[in-house]
Structures are given as structure tokens and as C-alpha cells.
Amino acid sequence: MSILVGNIRLPLEASEQDAFAAARKKCELPDGAVRGAHLYRASLDARHGRITRVLSVLLELDSAEAEQAAVQRAAQPDVRLKKPVHAPAATGTARLHHRPIVVGFGPAGLFAAYVLAKNGYRPLVIERGEAIERRDRAVEAFAAGGAFDPRSNIQFGEGGAGAYSDGKLTSRINDPMGDYVLRTFVAHGAPDEILYRAKPHIGTDILKQVVRRMREDIVRMGGEVRFGCTLTGIVQRGGALTAALVDGQEIACERLILAIGHSARDTFAQLIADGVYFEPKPFSVGARIEHLQRDIDAGLFGRLAGHPALPPAEYTLSHRADGRACYSFCMCPGGQVVAAQSEPDAIVTNGMSYHARDGRNANSAIVVSVDPADFPTADALGGVAFQRQIERQAFRATGSYRAPCQRVGDFLDGTATRRAGRVRPTYPIGVQYGTLEGILPDFVVRHMRDGLRRFGKKIRGFDAADALLTGPETRTSSPVRIARLDSRHSRWVSGLLPCGEGAGYAGGILSAAVDGIGCAQEILQTFCPLEERRA
């Protein structure tokens, strides 16, 4: 146990030691009474024309009794006890006849497999894409103008779509298992700062290596990872899972964790045919906006922009009108726009940053919410059809994998773009200047225009004429939800555990990882480890 001291406000130049001293003062503790002190959370408050650091500190005393007494003595809402987070542990007693199967090796599948392997369950991981080393080569070849690989790309392969993002670890969930995820990342090579930064990120360059090291640990602990293999169906009897079909081959199992991500459209269709209940789900579509990072810094930090103690500026913007939201999504400071399609003859954009976030441009999605009433069909895959229409229309508009690109000024005026201004596009395959009208639905264009004008009043220069919009962005979240019970089992197939972003139960790396752990815990709490049986 430890003491969590929050809402410590200090000048921008303040050090960690200043924060520790302020925490001791809040608790009325002498220096010698504290056995250990650590930063728990650090953020910036740039409101009211000045920038301050807002910190939380963990203090460790000699005993739990001393910590409880200190909290009671302080009697402040910002001072409370924090219980330690324990690693998931096996408690089940039932016999497991076959290895559990994990399908998909993005954040949800990665952490599900890691927890299972660590507890002696020897999971079998099935991933349609390639290991990160081979996946990197396929992604780089496509970005350089080579052939598109539908099996190994920014959506499919080791690490999932999150491996080619900013490695953001922010989340709206407040699950204590989030700390376990962060500490596991750090144990495999992520920087320590993700443990305390309010908006932690790893960066694509480091995250790919972290994922590889976790895979190596899974294998070392008895798990198996099969790349280039696709789930082609399931077998059930009496509403209970009995086997998985992997490239047509039947593999017996009692538990299958389904962590297939939001773009496995062929798998969605096959599982529906096999009796798994899906329903359509709202998501958002739009385009990537790019500004010069120094302009965003100036718009948010004012005269302090460029201060060595300040990171590249980030923003979160939203506006709601006529029942729809227009908002920024997945903001990547100092990053680039990337090609994120999972099917040929289609265009999809996304954003990423390396750990240093030192690129010339800032980018973010500007998206508008859509719901099943907007979809062309009323079935479970209506959202997939909606995405495909946009993605294929973008490809038809350019006649290649070059992405449609339009200056913000032209987008607001309804005119086609002929050339870029100060902001140069970072999309690696190249762009074709023109218009996003006719690619994005009319209502999306209308709400984006309204949103951009309003965002320009919140951040000076956000609606600058030479900012760029490159699109389309269609994969903000899964277009489906795989219905499950409170037990985490599929509604109609016992033993099938849908999880993560693709199943509609997460919205980013951290929440997907936590959901994967939750599904693994169902196995830990039901069955004894396979390792115990071997012993």
C-alpha cells in the first residue's frame, strides 16, 4: 500500500524533488518518515494564459499502519491510500482438455496470451499477419510504392493496428489493471515515463520492439504463436464451442479468445454464418488534418512555445450539432499520416508518431459520428459496407493508392485544391490534390466544415487556409459489436470470448489490453493450469 497525494501544482521548471517535498508537506511528514517517493501522474495546465505542472506523488512509509495514520491526519480529498495492483493469478480447478486459443495478436490478444502463458496455460496464438520483422518490410515496401499485401499491413500482423500508431496509452477506463499493462510494457522496454505521464505514449518505433519481446516471453513460457494463419470458422455443439477452424484445419478447444481487431471483415462474415451474434455499431469517419507542429505549439502554449520543458503540444477538440459529434481523434504530435487499408483498391488513412515526436507536422483525425441509420444495409455488416463505399470511392477518385488531399481553406470554400502551401503532406505513397466532396458523405463534409470553423476559434490557426486534409479516415473503431454476456462468453456460443476493439469492447491500446486480460482471467478462474497437469 502507499499514499497517493494529488493536485500538486508547481511552476513549469519545478523538479521531481520539488513535487516530493510538496507531497510531504501536504501530509505533514518529515523527510525521514518517507521510505520511497515516486511520480504517479504528471500533466500540464495551460489555461488562463500560464502553464503549470499538475502532479500526483506516491509516498511509501515504513508500514501500512503509518500510511493510514498519515492519510487520516491529513484529512484532505487529495490525499488517499492506494492499494497495490496484483498480477492475474490462476484460481480455477476444472480440467482443461486442450490449450486455449487466442485469435489475433493486437493489444487484446497479446495481453490475453501473455497472462495465460505466465500462469501455465500454454496458449496457442493464431495471427493472420506476419511477425513484426516481416510485417515491417511489407509496410515499408507498400509505402515506397510497392504491391499491397492483404495479409500483412498496418491493420494485420503482430501488434495489431496499434503497433503502427503513436502508441498512445490514454484511456477513459479507470481499471486498476491498467497499471499492470503499463508496468508490463516497461518491463519489456517501454520508457519509464509512461508510468506517470497523464497522456503516456510509447511511439511506434519502440512499441514494435516491446511487442516482439512480449511474444518471445510468451513462447519461452510455453505458448505458441502461428503467423500467417487465419481463423476460417468455429465448430459448436449444443451452443458450446468445441473447435476452431484455422485455414480449414480443425483444432479442438474449450476456450477461444477472439481478439481479431476492427478490420477482419471476412472473419466477421464467417462467424456470423457460424452462428455468432453480431450487431452493427456506431463509429466515425472523416479525414486527417495536418498543421505545422510549431503552429499548434504557438496556438496552445503562446509565448512559451518552444520552451525546453514543454513537449510538442497536443489537443482534443469536439463540437456537437444536430445530434452528431465532430471531433479530433488520435492526435499525433510531430507525426505523419500513414496508409492503413486492409483490402486492395481502397484508401484508408491513419496517423502515427515515433517516440521523439520530432516530425515537422502535427496530425489528427477530424471525424463525424455515424450510426446504423446511415448505413446502406440494415444487417450486422452495414457499417462495413458504409466504410467500403468511402474507401473504394477514394481509390476511384485518384486511380491509385495516392490519397485525396485538400487544403482546409479550399475545403471550407468548396473548391478543389491545386497545390500545397506551407504545410506539406506526409502521406508516404503520395497524394492527389482535389476535393473530398464526393468521397465523404455530404453530411460528413457539412459537419466537418462546421467543426473546423469552431475549432479555429479554440486554437488560433487551426482552420488556417494551408492546413491539409488527407483522407479518408474510416477505421476509428469497430463497425460491429459481438454480443457477449457478463461472463464474457459470446451470447450464443459458450466458450467463445469476444474481446478488444474489434469486438466493440475497447477503444485503444490500453483498454483493449485490459479487456484481453479480463478474458484471460475467465480462463484462470475456471480451469487449473495445464502446467499443473504436466507436473
Side-chain angles (χ1 to χ4, degrees):
M1 197 174 295
S2 53
I3 302 171
L4 178 59
V5 185
N7 199 29
I8 299 170
R9 294 179 172 269
L10 297 173
L12 184 59
E13 296 80 7
S15 68
E16 287 187 13
Q17 295 304 317
D18 294 329
F20 299 157
R24 291 195 302 270
K25 184 176 180 180
K26 272 197 174 191
C27 296
E28 301 179 7
L29 291 168
D31 190 8
V34 177
R35 182 165 53 87
H38 312 277
L39 276 184
Y40 179 74
R41 195 71 75 234
S43 63
L44 296 174
D45 184 347
R47 298 173 298 174
H48 314 304
R50 60 177 182 173
I51 301 176
T52 56
R53 298 186 77 192
V54 184
L55 305 156
S56 298
V57 169
L58 285 176
L59 299 178
E60 298 173 1
L61 307 187
D62 287 333
S63 67
E65 291 76 13
E67 291 169 351
Q68 289 173 339
V71 170
Q72 291 172 353
R73 186 168 58 249
Q76 297 183 46
D78 294 330
V79 180
R80 59 184 177 86
L81 291 172
K82 186 177 188 304
K83 296 180 180 179
V85 177
H86 297 291
T91 58
T93 58
R95 178 182 174 87
L96 190 63
H97 295 279
H98 308 283
R99 290 189 294 176
I101 296 177
V102 178
V103 178
F105 210 35
L110 176 68
F111 272 85
Y114 182 79
V115 167
L116 289 171
K118 196 171 183 65
N119 283 278
Y121 290 82
R122 309 201 319 270
L124 170 62
V125 179
I126 302 298
E127 168 56 52
R128 69 192 300 160
E130 297 294 345
I132 200 69
E133 301 88 349
R134 295 184 63 180
R135 185 184 182 194
D136 247 354
R137 291 195 291 271
V139 169
E140 290 172 2
F142 180 56
F148 172 71
D149 185 346
R151 289 180 69 98
S152 197
N153 46 63
I154 279 185
Q155 299 294 347
F156 299 145
E158 184 174 22
Y164 290 87
S165 68
D166 190 58
K168 297 176 189 65
L169 300 172
T170 50
S171 176
R172 294 179 182 177
I173 67 169
N174 190 26
D175 191 303
M177 203 51 66
D179 283 350
Y180 175 78
V181 172
L182 297 179
R183 294 187 182 282
T184 302
F185 277 140
V186 169
H188 290 85
D192 289 351
E193 66 187 36
I194 70 171
L195 298 176
Y196 59 81
R197 286 188 58 175
K199 295 182 178 180
H201 83 108
I202 298 178
T204 296
D205 46 342
I206 296 177
L207 180 57
K208 289 186 288 188
Q209 303 311 313
V210 170
V211 168
R212 177 183 56 79
R213 294 186 187 111
M214 288 186 67
R215 179 240 301 169
E216 291 169 348
D217 260 4
I218 289 168
V219 173
R220 179 182 57 79
M221 293 184 293
E224 179 185 356
V225 183
R226 297 183 188 176
F227 293 109
C229 297
T230 304
L231 180 73
T232 52
I234 61 168
V235 179
Q236 57 170 308
R237 292 188 182 90
L241 178 74
T242 61
L245 295 175
V246 178
D247 292 325
Q249 177 186 356
E250 192 169 309
I251 303 176
C253 64
E254 296 108 297
R255 292 290 186 274
L256 187 153
I257 295 177
L258 191 66
I260 52 179
H262 59 40
S263 294
R265 295 165 169 175
D266 54 345
T267 307
F268 292 166
Q270 184 57 57
L271 289 171
I272 290 171
D274 289 342
V276 180
Y277 184 79
F278 281 62
E279 55 196 16
K281 172 185 150 303
F283 55 100
S284 300
V285 300
R288 281 270 150 186
I289 191 167
E290 291 193 87
H291 301 87
L292 295 178
Q293 181 65 50
R294 66 171 181 263
D295 290 348
I296 297 298
D297 292 346
L300 289 172
F301 294 149
R303 60 182 180 80
L304 286 175
H307 191 290
L310 289 174
E314 299 178 64
Y315 56 79
T316 302
L317 297 164
S318 65
H319 171 66
R320 192 167 188 87
D322 301 327
R324 293 190 192 273
C326 177
Y327 60 98
S328 64
F329 173 79
C330 184
M331 195 266 163
C332 299
Q336 67 184 79
V337 180
V338 297
Q341 48 270 82
S342 61
E343 296 176 338
D345 300 340
I347 296 175
V348 181
T349 61
N350 198 359
M352 61 161 273
S353 297
Y354 294 119
H355 179 70
R357 289 180 163 177
D358 57 359
R360 174 183 171 88
N361 287 3
N363 77 77
S364 172
I366 299 296
V367 292
V368 174
S369 57
V370 300
D371 60 46
D374 301 310
F375 302 161
T377 62
D379 59 86
L381 298 183
V384 170
F386 183 83
Q387 291 173 327
R388 275 191 176 130
Q389 284 182 348
I390 297 171
E391 296 162 10
R392 290 177 177 175
Q393 180 56 33
F395 185 86
R396 287 192 292 268
T398 68
S400 69
Y401 287 113
R402 290 176 298 161
C405 186
Q406 189 173 16
R407 287 167 49 138
V408 165
D410 294 332
F411 179 77
L412 294 175
D413 292 341
T415 58
T417 292
R418 303 301 176 197
R419 63 181 65 86
R422 290 188 313 140
V423 185
R424 311 296 297 183
T426 58
Y427 187 79
I429 300 173
V431 302
Q432 180 168 307
Y433 296 110
T435 178
L436 293 175
E437 291 187 64
I439 295 171
L440 295 173
D442 291 344
F443 72 86
V444 172
V445 171
R446 184 171 66 254
H447 281 273
M448 284 177 63
R449 284 173 175 158
D450 184 31
L452 285 167
R453 291 187 178 101
R454 292 176 183 273
F455 299 159
K457 296 176 182 178
K458 296 181 179 180
I459 299 177
R460 180 170 52 86
F462 195 86
D463 57 350
D466 60 355
L468 292 179
L469 290 167
T470 305
E473 170 113 358
T474 53
R475 310 289 181 90
T476 52
S477 67
S478 181
V480 298
R481 177 171 288 108
I482 308 174
R484 72 184 186 190
L485 306 173
D486 291 343
S487 63
R488 296 183 184 266
H489 290 250
S490 166
R491 182 183 294 178
W492 289 351
V493 184
S494 176
L496 183 69
L497 306 172
C499 78
E501 191 164 341
Y505 296 99
I509 292 173
L510 187 65
S511 59
V514 169
D515 199 50
I517 292 170
C519 288
Q521 285 178 310
E522 189 281 336
I523 298 174
L524 268 59
Q525 292 164 5
T526 305
F527 299 99
C528 64
L530 288 168
E531 289 295 335
E532 290 183 9
R533 288 175 49 207
R534 287 204 304 182

